[in-house]
Amino acid sequence: MTEQTHFVDIRHAQKSFGSLEVLKDISLTVERGQIVGIIGSSGSGKSTLLRAINDLDPLTGGEVWLDGVQVNKTLPHRQYEKHINAMRQQVGMVFQHFNLFPHMTARQNVTMAPMMLKGLSQEAADKLAEEQLDKVGMLERIDYYPSQLSGGQKQRVAIARALAMEPKLMLFDEATSALDPELVEEVNMVMKKLAEEHMTMIIVTHEMDFAASVCDRVLFMDKGVVVEEGPPEVLFRNPSKDRTREFLRKHLEGAK
Amino acid sequence: MDFELMQKVFPFFLEAAWTTILLSVLTAILGLTCGTLGAAARLSRFRSLRFIGAAYVSVFRGTPALIQLFILYFGGPQIGIQLDAFQAGVIGLGINAGAYMTETIRGAIIAVDSGQREAARTLGLSNWQATYKVILPQAARLMVRPLGVNLNMLIKATALVAAISVIELTYTAQRYIGSTYKPFEMFLLAGILYMIILYATGRAVAWVDRKVQIT
Amino acid sequence: MGLDFSIIPDYLDIILLGVAWTVGITLAAAALSFAGGVVFAVIALYAPWVIRQPFRLIEFVFMGTPLLLQLFLIYFGLVQIGIDLPAFVAGIIGLGLHFAVYNSELIQTSILAVDRGQMEAARTLGLSRGQALRKVVIPQAVRAVVPPIGNNMIALLKDSALVSVIGVSELTLSAQRAIGKTYRPFEFYILAAAFYYVINLCMEWVQRKIERRISISR
């Protein structure tokens, strides 16, 4: 096995459902503090790749490494469970449909995992929840239930929930796709703030403007392969592949 | 397991199963009729009809079917109603099932979006036309499956008439348990026949459900 | 023979004792059906195949046959294998097992109905499967399952009348006893129906109270 040098290192990732191959030999590295955007049409495999990083959708081939540790290593079931739970504590994830726990307040959503998994006391966890919710501008609604919040507010709480575990890496799976247009900006602001703090992030998105403004690097995926990657100013302004141009042209038309 | 005995009494169980089926079919027809009338009453414009519908559902769902059966069969003669056990079984269970079906049918009608009625009314359809042409066809699709559940319960509830000595499956099983002291064997015979009846009914309901979903 | 409700007070003590028995049997069977429902559901969802399949069969048989038939099996079957229980115990076991199967079904569906994203979100935070079930999935499933289980318990009350057939002196059999002495079936069955109706209303009231307490958005 080769020496591990990259922060996130995906090697020859392959995933198939039966005869359908959704990821075809994808390799990707991300360095500490980098922000990588993944764009592509639905069914391109971008979400599957993202979900493979914390083993939510296990790969059928290839390896995922995070900070020198292999995420998807082969272990007996019990040991693997222990290992993956430890790994996931280091990786925050934000979903398209928020997945806030509806029976818990914003505060409880944030405090639950740190109390259970890190043994924080109630006071310490409350303090943490206040900090994190303040950061995403949700301190005023700390004792509200998810059903009492707008989509944008829910997503900001979901981000606070992930941040409370002090992750090394944040994964965003179309975090703004389910939001009404006027609510997108408040979530984008929070993500920009994280970018300024040099949080390492991998962002699956269909918002080209946002990707262009925060990402260091953007990947365009189609049919299970990375077609093209590069800095946003190059990929968006001057793509080298026909497929990328085609996708961007269609997307622009759609936006108008 | 006494297979020889099971073989010997099987014809009697089979005959009893036909009684159970006949009882179920008649009860289902009466139940659906009562359920339709009940739902119409509960959704009526007239407050008095709505009250009668609500009282019907509340009383018949709020008391045991067995007691209702006893009131009809044993108490009936006191108020001039003479019925044999089979008739009392069909009528008692049918009215009882009707109360449950009322709620199923009403629920399906309510579940059709109120925008549908508004859209039909803005086209100029009368309230009745809107109900008949727009609401009911959609509600029918929603009610097949829950009515299937009602039907399943109804078939199992026909066992209650064993308590007024109608010779159907459960009564037959009870009698042979008493005379042979072989409860497991007799349960198995009756149980398998019940499960066959319920399975066939379930398939029929699924078939109807598919049919109404397509059209 | 007309109706004469004036004889009821003379037999009210028998009837009220029957009411007490009905309430007691219902509560005991409800407790058994709830505990059994949880156990069956856990087995059906999480136990290994060899344990799961026999339970599936039991579920299938219990859901596919009438309660009255099951009561006969349990009452006479237990005697057959040398366990001579009082009728009321057999009745509680029969009712309890019957409704445990239906409760199990409800619990299973409500656990499976909790959005898959909830389990995923909990797992991405690093919770184990058991922790995620305990803190996230089950609390939501419980809220979803309370109303239908409440309905089952109300059905159980009404089905408790069936244990009169195996000789348990609850409300229905008490009414029959009074009828045996007075030959007034209509009056006493109506009276029994009225008591069932009142107990039923009480249970619905309790059910509404509980539902209101556990509803998510306050």
Side-chain angles (χ1 to χ4, degrees):
Chain A
M1 222 162 273
T2 50
E3 174 79 2
Q4 174 65 32
T5 50
H6 303 288
F7 184 60
V8 179
D9 192 352
I10 299 172
R11 301 175 189 166
H12 307 291
Q14 192 275 340
K15 168 101 182 164
S16 35
F17 295 104
S19 61
L20 180 71
E21 205 175 9
V22 288
L23 295 179
K24 298 168 187 163
D25 191 28
I26 291 183
S27 293
L28 165 69
T29 59
V30 179
E31 303 310 329
R32 209 182 279 273
Q34 267 193 345
I35 298 167
V36 174
I38 306 178
I39 60 170
S41 53
S42 61
S44 61
K46 56 190 197 301
S47 282
T48 311
L49 179 65
L50 191 76
R51 290 160 62 88
I53 294 172
N54 63 2
D55 207 47
L56 220 45
D57 277 347
L59 292 173
T60 34
E63 295 173 2
V64 178
W65 289 75
L66 173 66
D67 203 8
V69 183
Q70 189 181 350
V71 176
N72 61 340
K73 60 181 157 190
T74 321
L75 284 173
H77 180 74
R78 247 161 222 273
Q79 285 172 39
Y80 180 74
E81 281 294 303
K82 244 181 133 168
H83 158 75
I84 199 66
N85 292 337
M87 293 306 294
R88 283 172 177 163
Q89 290 184 36
Q90 305 169 34
V91 181
M93 183 154 192
V94 177
F95 300 87
Q96 183 178 356
H97 295 288
F98 332 125
N99 294 349
L100 282 184
F101 306 129
H103 58 303
M104 300 180 188
T105 60
R107 179 200 300 274
Q108 291 164 336
N109 264 281
V110 176
T111 57
M112 188 263 285
M115 284 174 71
M116 270 187 98
L117 304 174
K118 294 188 166 173
L120 259 64
S121 67
Q122 184 72 55
E123 294 93 68
D126 276 337
K127 196 161 155 284
L128 179 67
E130 282 156 24
E131 269 170 37
Q132 295 300 344
L133 287 168
D134 190 27
K135 189 169 178 177
V136 298
M138 288 297 296
L139 189 55
E140 280 171 29
R141 302 275 160 120
I142 189 162
D143 288 317
Y144 282 48
Y145 282 89
S147 59
Q148 299 166 307
L149 302 175
S150 74
Q153 292 172 330
K154 281 183 201 169
Q155 196 59 296
R156 286 190 278 152
V157 174
I159 293 172
R161 176 175 73 181
L163 291 176
M165 291 301 286
E166 295 170 329
K168 296 175 177 170
L169 167 68
M170 285 287 287
L171 309 175
F172 291 85
D173 190 2
E174 307 222 25
T176 55
S177 297
L179 297 177
D180 292 335
E182 71 271 21
L183 302 177
V184 168
E185 198 44 40
E186 63 186 69
V187 174
N188 282 348
M189 291 288 284
V190 170
M191 290 168 68
K192 275 185 183 147
K193 205 160 150 191
L194 288 178
E196 281 157 19
E197 292 169 8
H198 305 291
M199 170 66 79
T200 315
M201 300 198 268
I202 304 178
I203 302 170
V204 166
T205 184
H206 62 230
E207 278 188 77
M208 305 306 151
D209 289 340
F210 179 70
S213 69
V214 301
C215 295
D216 304 308
R217 197 147 56 94
V218 177
L219 279 72
F220 168 61
M221 280 183 69
D222 190 32
K223 296 184 179 128
V225 295
V226 177
V227 177
E228 186 168 354
E229 67 166 293
E233 51 277 14
V234 177
L235 191 112
F236 287 124
R237 300 246 172 81
N238 198 8
S240 59
K241 298 282 191 338
D242 286 345
R243 270 203 273 176
T244 317
R245 264 196 290 276
E246 176 75 356
F247 172 77
L248 290 171
R249 190 176 57 74
K250 274 192 184 153
H251 200 86
L252 268 177
E253 279 170 7
K256 281 171 194 164
Chain B
M1 198 64 79
D2 190 342
F3 287 107
E4 205 177 317
L5 175 69
M6 285 168 77
Q7 227 167 19
K8 222 170 72 193
V9 299
F10 183 68
F12 300 103
F13 277 79
L14 205 56
E15 203 178 319
W18 285 114
T19 309
T20 290
I21 291 169
L22 183 63
L23 199 58
S24 301
V25 170
L26 294 175
T27 305
I29 292 169
L30 181 60
L32 267 177
T33 311
C34 292
T36 308
L37 291 175
R42 287 215 64 180
L43 295 167
S44 161
R45 277 183 298 136
F46 303 108
R47 190 207 267 253
S48 53
L49 278 179
R50 284 205 302 273
F51 177 79
I52 291 170
Y56 165 53
V57 170
S58 176
V59 168
F60 281 85
R61 296 206 317 173
T63 55
L66 189 66
I67 292 279
Q68 294 164 24
L69 208 54
F70 285 168
I71 292 175
L72 184 64
Y73 183 61
F74 296 113
Q78 278 175 274
I79 53 170
I81 300 170
Q82 296 276 0
L83 296 169
D84 68 34
F86 187 86
Q87 291 166 338
V90 169
I91 294 170
L93 293 176
I95 295 174
N96 178 267
Y100 289 88
M101 289 177 172
T102 295
E103 287 305 87
T104 304
I105 294 169
R106 172 173 164 268
I109 290 171
I110 290 176
V112 178
D113 181 30
S114 63
Q116 292 290 314
R117 186 181 295 277
E118 278 172 15
R121 293 305 296 274
T122 56
L123 290 171
L125 271 67
S126 73
N127 194 30
W128 169 243
Q129 286 170 325
T131 305
Y132 184 70
K133 279 288 190 192
V134 178
I135 306 292
L136 283 183
Q138 297 182 61
R141 277 168 220 193
L142 296 177
M143 67 178 79
V144 173
R145 263 181 243 204
L147 280 177
V149 175
N150 289 148
L151 188 59
N152 180 293
M153 303 303 271
L154 176 155
I155 292 169
K156 284 181 269 183
T158 61
L160 297 187
V161 299
I164 56 173
S165 305
V166 176
I167 305 168
E168 44 67 76
L169 264 178
T170 298
Y171 183 80
T172 306
Q174 183 197 3
R175 271 238 319 249
Y176 281 106
I177 290 171
S179 61
T180 63
Y181 298 105
K182 300 272 187 204
F184 291 103
E185 284 83 346
M186 299 306 129
F187 175 81
L188 202 62
L189 278 178
I192 286 171
L193 287 167
Y194 272 116
M195 285 189 270
I196 291 172
I197 295 170
L198 289 173
Y199 178 74
T201 312
R203 290 301 294 265
V205 169
W207 182 82
V208 173
D209 189 48
R210 263 203 312 281
K211 281 279 163 192
V212 294
Q213 300 308 332
I214 295 164
T215 48
Chain C
M1 186 153 105
L3 300 181
D4 177 13
F5 285 92
S6 64
I7 47 156
I8 284 175
D10 296 341
Y11 296 89
L12 206 56
D13 49 345
I14 300 181
I15 301 292
L16 285 175
L17 193 63
V19 170
W21 271 101
T22 286
V23 171
I25 287 167
T26 301
L27 290 178
L32 179 61
S33 78
F34 191 73
V38 172
V39 173
F40 288 178
V42 168
I43 289 172
L45 289 174
Y46 306 115
W49 192 89
V50 278
I51 302 174
R52 211 166 60 219
Q53 289 311 315
F55 269 90
R56 285 261 164 84
L57 185 67
I58 293 176
E59 270 198 12
F60 185 73
V61 172
F62 266 78
M63 297 188 87
T65 53
L67 172 59
L68 190 57
L69 190 64
Q70 292 162 19
L71 287 174
F72 288 141
L73 173 75
I74 288 169
Y75 185 53
F76 295 106
L78 286 176
V79 175
Q80 175 85 2
I81 57 175
I83 305 171
D84 200 356
L85 290 173
F88 85 92
V89 178
I92 289 169
I93 293 174
L95 283 170
L97 282 182
H98 180 82
F99 280 93
V101 168
Y102 283 89
N103 285 346
S104 155
E105 195 81 352
L106 291 172
I107 293 167
Q108 284 174 51
T109 21
S110 69
I111 287 177
L112 295 176
V114 173
D115 186 42
R116 209 169 61 99
Q118 292 290 311
M119 178 58 104
E120 280 185 356
R123 295 305 303 273
T124 54
L125 289 169
L127 270 67
S128 72
R129 200 173 136 87
Q131 287 171 321
L133 275 174
R134 204 169 68 239
K135 290 295 274 191
V136 174
V137 176
I138 289 175
Q140 292 181 56
V142 165
R143 285 170 169 84
V145 90
V146 163
I149 285 205
N151 294 341
N152 267 359
M153 296 305 94
I154 289 169
L156 192 156
L157 162 72
K158 289 174 280 172
D159 279 344
S160 74
L162 268 59
V163 300
S164 65
V165 177
I166 57 170
V168 183
S169 311
E170 42 63 79
L171 181 49
T172 303
L173 195 60
S174 302
Q176 277 166 12
R177 294 245 163 87
I179 292 162
K181 290 184 182 138
T182 60
Y183 302 104
R184 294 257 162 216
F186 194 89
E187 290 86 339
F188 281 101
Y189 282 135
I190 288 280
L191 180 68
F195 275 115
Y196 277 113
Y197 191 67
V198 170
I199 304 170
N200 178 65
L201 289 182
C202 294
M203 288 179 77
E204 281 177 3
W205 180 78
V206 172
Q207 185 189 16
R208 272 198 301 278
K209 278 252 151 175
I210 296 173
E211 273 173 45
R212 207 163 307 148
R213 272 192 74 162
I214 59 158
S215 67
I216 287 168
S217 47
R218 274 156 245 203

